[in-house]
Amino acid sequence: LTSKVSLAFASNAVITINGTLNTASAFTASNDITLGASGIINGSATFTLNAGATMRIGSVNGIAAGNAASGNIQVTGSRTYDPGAHYIYNGTASQSTGDGLPTGLTGSLTIDNPTTVTLAAARTMTTGTLNLKQGTFAAGTLLTLGNSTTAANATINRSEGAVSGTLQGANWYNIIYSG
């Protein structure tokens, strides 16, 4: 599909892309977007994922910053991934988060991949939620979780899955086991 108009979707829209969407205009998601393993948004457009939106990421390369032709988002214009959005890695093969996953997450990061999702670059999650649904989140020493006060902490919500590595920082965070 090739688009030459701005693509902005209503907050209640649900978008699924399993092929390639080539667009020359702005793509703004304020809603629920699912990008399958081969789902790609490319072209000369800009891409914006707004706070509160949910993006399901299926590419083995995750999401890239800059204008790298890698992962689910490959536009050559600017890429804006809001830290208040919700990022779900739900591929079926091992995945990298890619360097586009924002730091300072206040939304959520969900690992829902039966194999492994590897954190590609150092990231901080001060008040967001890390959801472990299945598989292993290979954070190494790249994830700093929580903040220095007992108020508004980050949370790890584990129903299945695991984190491998050592969380960084001498900070407060909550851990909830439900599985």
Side-chain angles (χ1 to χ4, degrees), residues 27-126:
F27 187 106
T28 302
S30 300
N31 47 348
D32 190 331
I33 181 169
T34 298
L35 299 156
S38 59
I40 295 172
I41 300 173
N42 69 6
S44 59
T46 59
F47 177 86
T48 302
L49 183 69
N50 286 330
T54 298
M55 182 163 57
R56 289 171 180 79
I57 302 158
S59 170
V60 296
N61 296 314
I63 52 176
N67 60 4
S70 179
N72 287 122
I73 308 300
Q74 298 185 13
V75 296
T76 57
S78 65
R79 301 173 193 181
T80 304
Y81 306 108
D82 195 285
H86 307 286
Y87 300 86
I88 301 172
Y89 287 82
N90 65 345
T92 56
S94 292
Q95 291 179 275
S96 168
T97 60
D99 64 356
L101 180 68
T103 196
L105 275 174
T106 57
S108 65
L109 169 61
T110 300
I111 307 303
D112 192 9
N113 178 316
T115 61
T116 300
V117 176
T118 302
L119 187 59
R123 294 294 181 256
T124 300
M125 182 182 285
T126 54

Side-chain angles (χ1 to χ4, degrees), residues 126-177:
T126 54
T127 61
T129 301
L130 172 60
N131 297 301
L132 301 172
K133 292 194 168 194
Q134 65 173 327
T136 300
F137 181 42
T141 58
L142 297 175
L143 182 62
T144 301
L145 192 66
N147 60 57
S148 60
T149 68
T150 58
N153 290 321
T155 299
I156 298 174
N157 187 4
R158 181 196 174 271
S159 58
E160 295 289 333
V163 174
S164 68
T166 304
L167 298 177
Q168 300 299 297
N171 298 321
W172 293 89
Y173 51 89
N174 303 309
I175 300 175
I176 301 168
Y177 289 97

